[in-house]
Amino acid sequence: MIYQDVSQLIGQTPLMKLAVETPNHVSIYAKLEMFNPGGSIKDRLGEYLMDDAQKKGLLTAETTIIEPTAGNTGIGLALAAQKRGLKTILVVPEKFSQEKQILMRALGAKIVHTPSGSGIKGAIAKAKKLATQIPDSYLPLQFENLANPAAYATSLAPEIVTEFTKNKLSLAAFVAGAGSGGTFAGITQVLKQKFPGLTAAVVEPEGSILNGGASHSHLTEGIGVEFIPLFFAKTKPDVIYTISDREAFEQVKQLALTNGLFVGSSSGAALAASLKLAKELPQNSNIVTIFPDSSERYLSKHIYRFEEEI
Ligand code: PMP
Protein backbone atom coordinates (compact mmCIF):
# COMPACT_ATOMS: atom_id res chain seq x y z
CA MET A 1 0.00 0.00 0.00
CA ILE A 2 1.21 3.51 -0.80
CA TYR A 3 0.22 5.91 1.95
CA GLN A 4 -1.07 9.35 1.05
CA ASP A 5 -0.62 11.10 4.39
CA VAL A 6 0.83 10.36 7.79
CA SER A 7 -2.55 9.98 9.50
CA GLN A 8 -3.03 6.76 7.51
CA LEU A 9 -0.14 5.29 9.50
CA ILE A 10 -2.05 5.62 12.77
CA GLY A 11 -3.32 2.43 14.40
CA GLN A 12 -3.11 -1.28 13.50
CA THR A 13 -0.12 -1.49 15.86
CA PRO A 14 1.49 -4.87 16.63
CA LEU A 15 0.18 -7.07 19.42
CA MET A 16 3.12 -8.99 20.89
CA LYS A 17 3.22 -11.93 23.29
CA LEU A 18 5.92 -11.03 25.80
CA ALA A 19 8.70 -13.42 26.68
CA VAL A 20 8.42 -12.99 30.45
CA GLU A 21 8.28 -15.43 33.31
CA THR A 22 4.91 -15.16 34.98
CA PRO A 23 3.07 -16.71 37.91
CA ASN A 24 0.50 -19.38 36.91
CA HIS A 25 1.87 -19.59 33.35
CA VAL A 26 -0.15 -16.52 32.49
CA SER A 27 0.57 -15.03 29.04
CA ILE A 28 0.94 -11.27 28.70
CA TYR A 29 0.24 -9.62 25.35
CA ALA A 30 1.23 -5.98 24.79
CA LYS A 31 -0.10 -3.57 22.20
CA LEU A 32 2.98 -1.73 20.94
CA GLU A 33 1.72 1.80 20.51
CA MET A 34 5.16 3.30 19.86
CA PHE A 35 4.66 2.09 16.28
CA ASN A 36 2.28 4.98 15.60
CA PRO A 37 3.85 7.72 13.42
CA GLY A 38 4.11 10.27 16.25
CA GLY A 39 5.56 7.56 18.47
CA SER A 40 2.69 7.03 20.88
CA ILE A 41 -0.88 5.89 21.50
CA LYS A 42 -1.91 9.55 21.53
CA ASP A 43 -1.76 9.83 17.74
CA ARG A 44 -5.07 7.98 17.79
CA LEU A 45 -6.50 10.56 20.20
CA GLY A 46 -5.20 13.63 18.30
CA GLU A 47 -6.73 12.49 15.02
CA TYR A 48 -10.00 11.43 16.68
CA LEU A 49 -10.41 14.69 18.63
CA MET A 50 -9.83 16.80 15.52
CA ASP A 51 -12.15 14.67 13.43
CA ASP A 52 -14.83 14.88 16.12
CA ALA A 53 -14.51 18.68 16.38
CA GLN A 54 -14.65 19.02 12.61
CA LYS A 55 -17.81 16.88 12.39
CA LYS A 56 -19.42 19.04 15.10
CA GLY A 57 -18.56 22.18 13.11
CA LEU A 58 -16.32 23.54 15.86
CA LEU A 59 -13.32 24.33 13.63
CA THR A 60 -12.76 27.02 11.00
CA ALA A 61 -9.71 27.50 8.76
CA GLU A 62 -8.41 30.03 11.33
CA THR A 63 -8.93 27.99 14.52
CA THR A 64 -6.10 27.71 17.04
CA ILE A 65 -6.07 24.40 18.94
CA ILE A 66 -5.10 24.79 22.60
CA GLU A 67 -4.54 21.79 24.89
CA PRO A 68 -2.94 21.01 28.27
CA THR A 69 -0.73 17.92 27.83
CA ALA A 70 2.12 15.88 29.27
CA GLY A 71 3.47 15.71 25.73
CA ASN A 72 2.25 12.71 23.78
CA THR A 73 -1.26 14.11 23.29
CA GLY A 74 0.43 17.31 22.16
CA ILE A 75 2.37 15.44 19.48
CA GLY A 76 -0.79 13.62 18.36
CA LEU A 77 -2.77 16.86 18.22
CA ALA A 78 0.03 18.73 16.46
CA LEU A 79 0.09 16.03 13.76
CA ALA A 80 -3.68 16.18 13.33
CA ALA A 81 -3.76 19.99 13.35
CA GLN A 82 -0.92 20.20 10.81
CA LYS A 83 -2.87 17.97 8.42
CA ARG A 84 -5.78 20.43 8.68
CA GLY A 85 -3.60 23.55 8.41
CA LEU A 86 -4.45 24.71 11.95
CA LYS A 87 -2.26 26.41 14.56
CA THR A 88 -1.59 24.58 17.84
CA ILE A 89 -0.64 25.88 21.30
CA LEU A 90 0.27 23.19 23.82
CA VAL A 91 0.37 23.96 27.53
CA VAL A 92 2.99 21.70 29.10
CA PRO A 93 4.24 21.54 32.73
CA GLU A 94 8.00 22.24 32.54
CA LYS A 95 9.07 18.87 34.00
CA PHE A 96 8.03 16.75 31.01
CA SER A 97 10.68 15.29 28.72
CA GLN A 98 12.60 17.56 26.34
CA GLU A 99 12.25 15.06 23.51
CA LYS A 100 8.46 15.34 23.53
CA GLN A 101 8.66 19.14 23.56
CA ILE A 102 11.22 19.20 20.72
CA LEU A 103 8.96 16.96 18.63
CA MET A 104 5.88 19.12 19.28
CA ARG A 105 7.80 22.18 18.10
CA ALA A 106 9.16 20.29 15.08
CA LEU A 107 5.57 19.69 13.98
CA GLY A 108 4.92 23.44 14.15
CA ALA A 109 3.23 23.68 17.56
CA LYS A 110 3.90 26.48 20.04
CA ILE A 111 4.59 25.46 23.64
CA VAL A 112 3.51 27.44 26.71
CA HIS A 113 5.10 26.22 29.93
CA THR A 114 3.48 26.07 33.34
CA PRO A 115 5.37 25.44 36.61
CA SER A 116 5.92 21.75 37.37
CA GLY A 117 4.67 22.34 40.92
CA SER A 118 1.18 23.31 39.73
CA GLY A 119 0.88 19.95 37.95
CA ILE A 120 -1.55 19.13 35.19
CA LYS A 121 -4.24 21.14 37.03
CA GLY A 122 -2.09 24.25 36.50
CA ALA A 123 -1.74 23.44 32.78
CA ILE A 124 -5.52 22.95 32.43
CA ALA A 125 -6.22 26.31 34.10
CA LYS A 126 -3.67 28.08 31.88
CA ALA A 127 -5.08 26.50 28.70
CA LYS A 128 -8.61 27.55 29.66
CA LYS A 129 -7.37 31.10 30.29
CA LEU A 130 -5.55 31.25 26.93
CA ALA A 131 -8.74 30.08 25.20
CA THR A 132 -10.59 33.14 26.57
CA GLN A 133 -7.86 35.44 25.21
CA ILE A 134 -7.32 33.94 21.73
CA PRO A 135 -10.22 34.41 19.31
CA ASP A 136 -11.45 31.34 17.36
CA SER A 137 -9.63 28.91 19.63
CA TYR A 138 -10.72 25.35 20.36
CA LEU A 139 -9.89 23.40 23.51
CA PRO A 140 -10.35 19.64 22.95
CA LEU A 141 -9.86 19.11 26.74
CA GLN A 142 -8.89 15.46 26.88
CA PHE A 143 -9.66 15.35 30.60
CA GLU A 144 -13.37 16.12 30.06
CA ASN A 145 -14.11 15.25 26.44
CA LEU A 146 -16.07 12.01 25.93
CA ALA A 147 -14.39 11.74 22.53
CA ASN A 148 -11.24 10.76 24.50
CA PRO A 149 -12.40 7.25 25.59
CA ALA A 150 -14.30 6.93 22.30
CA ALA A 151 -11.00 7.33 20.40
CA TYR A 152 -9.83 4.00 21.85
CA ALA A 153 -13.22 2.27 21.96
CA THR A 154 -13.47 2.69 18.19
CA SER A 155 -9.90 1.91 17.10
CA LEU A 156 -7.61 0.23 19.60
CA ALA A 157 -10.17 -1.96 21.37
CA PRO A 158 -11.51 -3.51 18.13
CA GLU A 159 -7.93 -4.28 17.08
CA ILE A 160 -7.46 -6.29 20.30
CA VAL A 161 -10.81 -8.06 19.90
CA THR A 162 -10.00 -8.98 16.28
CA GLU A 163 -6.60 -10.50 17.15
CA PHE A 164 -7.86 -12.47 20.15
CA THR A 165 -10.90 -13.74 18.24
CA LYS A 166 -8.90 -14.63 15.13
CA ASN A 167 -6.39 -16.59 17.23
CA LYS A 168 -9.15 -18.20 19.33
CA LEU A 169 -7.68 -16.84 22.56
CA SER A 170 -9.64 -16.14 25.73
CA LEU A 171 -8.98 -12.92 27.61
CA ALA A 172 -9.02 -12.82 31.42
CA ALA A 173 -7.73 -9.32 32.10
CA PHE A 174 -6.92 -5.91 30.70
CA VAL A 175 -4.26 -3.70 32.29
CA ALA A 176 -3.67 -0.02 31.43
CA GLY A 177 -2.14 3.04 33.02
CA ALA A 178 -4.23 6.14 33.61
CA GLY A 179 -3.42 9.77 32.99
CA SER A 180 -6.67 11.21 31.67
CA GLY A 181 -8.15 7.71 32.06
CA GLY A 182 -9.33 7.72 28.43
CA THR A 183 -7.33 4.68 27.34
CA PHE A 184 -8.51 2.60 30.29
CA ALA A 185 -12.18 3.60 30.09
CA GLY A 186 -12.54 3.37 26.31
CA ILE A 187 -10.92 -0.03 25.94
CA THR A 188 -12.47 -1.53 29.09
CA GLN A 189 -16.00 -0.69 27.88
CA VAL A 190 -15.49 -2.74 24.71
CA LEU A 191 -13.49 -5.64 26.18
CA LYS A 192 -15.95 -6.21 29.05
CA GLN A 193 -18.72 -6.70 26.52
CA LYS A 194 -16.72 -9.10 24.37
CA PHE A 195 -15.08 -11.04 27.20
CA PRO A 196 -17.57 -11.45 30.10
CA GLY A 197 -15.85 -11.80 33.47
CA LEU A 198 -12.82 -9.80 32.32
CA THR A 199 -10.85 -8.10 35.11
CA ALA A 200 -10.03 -4.48 34.25
CA ALA A 201 -6.98 -3.23 36.16
CA VAL A 202 -5.76 0.33 36.18
CA VAL A 203 -2.15 1.31 36.88
CA GLU A 204 -0.89 4.45 38.59
CA PRO A 205 2.52 5.50 39.92
CA GLU A 206 3.15 6.24 43.59
CA GLY A 207 2.14 9.87 44.08
CA SER A 208 -1.11 9.41 42.16
CA ILE A 209 -4.30 9.46 44.24
CA LEU A 210 -6.44 6.55 42.98
CA ASN A 211 -5.52 4.25 45.88
CA GLY A 212 -5.70 7.14 48.37
CA GLY A 213 -2.76 9.08 49.73
CA ALA A 214 -1.45 12.51 48.86
CA SER A 215 -0.48 13.62 45.39
CA HIS A 216 3.27 13.99 44.89
CA SER A 217 5.72 14.03 42.01
CA HIS A 218 7.02 10.84 40.41
CA LEU A 219 9.45 9.90 37.66
CA THR A 220 7.06 7.63 35.76
CA GLU A 221 5.82 9.84 32.95
CA GLY A 222 2.40 9.98 31.28
CA ILE A 223 0.37 8.27 34.01
CA GLY A 224 -0.77 9.38 37.45
CA VAL A 225 -3.78 11.46 38.40
CA GLU A 226 -4.32 14.47 40.63
CA PHE A 227 -8.12 13.99 40.55
CA ILE A 228 -10.37 10.99 39.84
CA PRO A 229 -10.80 10.87 36.05
CA LEU A 230 -14.30 11.79 34.95
CA PHE A 231 -14.39 8.72 32.72
CA PHE A 232 -14.18 6.39 35.75
CA ALA A 233 -17.74 7.34 36.80
CA LYS A 234 -19.14 4.84 34.26
CA THR A 235 -16.13 2.51 33.91
CA LYS A 236 -14.85 1.62 37.35
CA PRO A 237 -11.57 -0.29 37.61
CA ASP A 238 -11.85 -3.73 39.24
CA VAL A 239 -8.33 -3.36 40.66
CA ILE A 240 -5.91 -0.46 41.05
CA TYR A 241 -2.17 -1.13 41.10
CA THR A 242 0.11 1.55 42.51
CA ILE A 243 3.58 0.95 41.10
CA SER A 244 6.75 2.58 42.40
CA ASP A 245 9.12 4.38 40.03
CA ARG A 246 11.73 1.74 40.87
CA GLU A 247 9.45 -1.14 39.82
CA ALA A 248 8.42 0.64 36.60
CA PHE A 249 11.98 1.50 35.55
CA GLU A 250 13.19 -2.00 36.39
CA GLN A 251 10.66 -3.43 33.91
CA VAL A 252 11.72 -0.84 31.30
CA LYS A 253 15.25 -2.21 31.59
CA GLN A 254 14.12 -5.82 31.54
CA LEU A 255 11.99 -5.32 28.43
CA ALA A 256 15.01 -3.98 26.53
CA LEU A 257 17.31 -6.71 27.86
CA THR A 258 15.03 -9.68 27.37
CA ASN A 259 12.46 -8.72 24.72
CA GLY A 260 14.38 -6.15 22.66
CA LEU A 261 11.65 -3.60 23.31
CA PHE A 262 12.26 0.10 23.92
CA VAL A 263 9.40 1.23 26.12
CA GLY A 264 8.64 4.28 28.24
CA SER A 265 8.11 4.17 31.99
CA SER A 266 4.31 3.95 31.80
CA SER A 267 4.79 0.70 29.84
CA GLY A 268 7.18 -0.54 32.55
CA ALA A 269 4.51 0.21 35.15
CA ALA A 270 1.90 -1.64 33.04
CA LEU A 271 4.09 -4.73 32.92
CA ALA A 272 4.84 -4.56 36.67
CA ALA A 273 1.09 -4.44 37.36
CA SER A 274 0.38 -7.26 34.89
CA LEU A 275 2.89 -9.49 36.71
CA LYS A 276 1.16 -8.77 40.04
CA LEU A 277 -2.25 -9.49 38.54
CA ALA A 278 -0.99 -12.78 37.03
CA LYS A 279 -0.68 -14.15 40.59
CA GLU A 280 -4.44 -13.73 41.04
CA LEU A 281 -5.51 -15.38 37.77
CA PRO A 282 -6.15 -19.05 36.97
CA GLN A 283 -3.41 -21.09 35.25
CA ASN A 284 -2.81 -20.30 31.56
CA SER A 285 -4.92 -17.12 31.51
CA ASN A 286 -4.23 -14.28 29.08
CA ILE A 287 -3.69 -10.63 29.94
CA VAL A 288 -3.58 -7.80 27.43
CA THR A 289 -1.85 -4.54 28.26
CA ILE A 290 -0.86 -1.35 26.49
CA PHE A 291 2.68 -0.04 25.95
CA PRO A 292 1.91 3.63 25.15
CA ASP A 293 5.30 4.94 23.96
CA SER A 294 9.04 4.35 23.56
CA SER A 295 12.02 4.89 25.86
CA GLU A 296 13.65 6.88 23.07
CA ARG A 297 11.72 9.95 24.13
CA TYR A 298 13.14 9.75 27.65
CA LEU A 299 16.85 9.28 26.90
CA SER A 300 17.61 12.82 28.11
CA LYS A 301 16.15 11.68 31.43
CA HIS A 302 18.56 8.71 31.49
CA ILE A 303 15.73 6.20 31.51
CA TYR A 304 18.16 3.24 31.54
CA ARG A 305 20.36 4.66 34.31
CA PHE A 306 17.63 4.85 36.91
CA GLU A 307 19.26 2.36 39.28
CA GLU A 308 22.48 4.31 39.54
CA GLU A 309 20.68 7.62 40.05
CA ILE A 310 18.69 6.82 43.17
N1 PMP B 1 1.38 6.59 29.00
C1 PMP B 1 1.89 7.65 28.38
C2 PMP B 1 3.32 7.64 27.98
C3 PMP B 1 1.09 8.80 28.14
O1 PMP B 1 1.61 9.88 27.54
C4 PMP B 1 -0.25 8.78 28.57
C5 PMP B 1 -1.13 10.01 28.36
N2 PMP B 1 -0.69 11.08 29.16
C6 PMP B 1 -0.75 7.65 29.22
C7 PMP B 1 0.10 6.56 29.40
C8 PMP B 1 -2.13 7.59 29.80
O2 PMP B 1 -3.16 7.66 28.87
P1 PMP B 1 -4.58 8.21 29.26
O3 PMP B 1 -4.50 9.73 29.28
O4 PMP B 1 -5.49 7.75 28.16
O5 PMP B 1 -4.98 7.70 30.59
Side-chain angles (χ1 to χ4, degrees), residues 39-42 45 69-73 96 100 120 142-143 148-149 152 176-186 202-203 220-225 229 231-232 264-267 290-294 297-298:
S40 90
I41 187 172
K42 298 294 155 186
L45 180 62
T69 165
N72 282 329
T73 303
F96 291 117
K100 286 190 274 192
I120 202 70
Q142 58 172 320
F143 295 92
N148 176 353
Y152 309 103
S180 69
T183 308
F184 175 79
V202 82
V203 189
T220 304
E221 211 163 300
I223 55 171
V225 304
F231 313 126
F232 284 10
S265 47
S266 72
S267 309
I290 309 291
F291 286 173
D293 69 358
S294 162
R297 57 190 40 173
Y298 306 99

Side-chain angles (χ1 to χ4, degrees), residues 208-243:
S208 170
I209 57 132
L210 290 176
N211 257 334
S215 170
H216 64 75
S217 69
H218 43 82
L219 298 173
T220 304
E221 211 163 300
I223 55 171
V225 304
E226 296 165 24
F227 48 88
I228 306 289
L230 196 71
F231 313 126
F232 284 10
K234 247 178 53 194
T235 315
K236 291 206 173 31
D238 297 311
V239 204
I240 301 166
Y241 288 102
T242 306
I243 302 295

Side-chain angles (χ1 to χ4, degrees), residues 149-163:
Y152 309 103
T154 55
S155 73
L156 209 163
E159 290 172 26
I160 295 173
V161 171
T162 301
E163 281 310 318

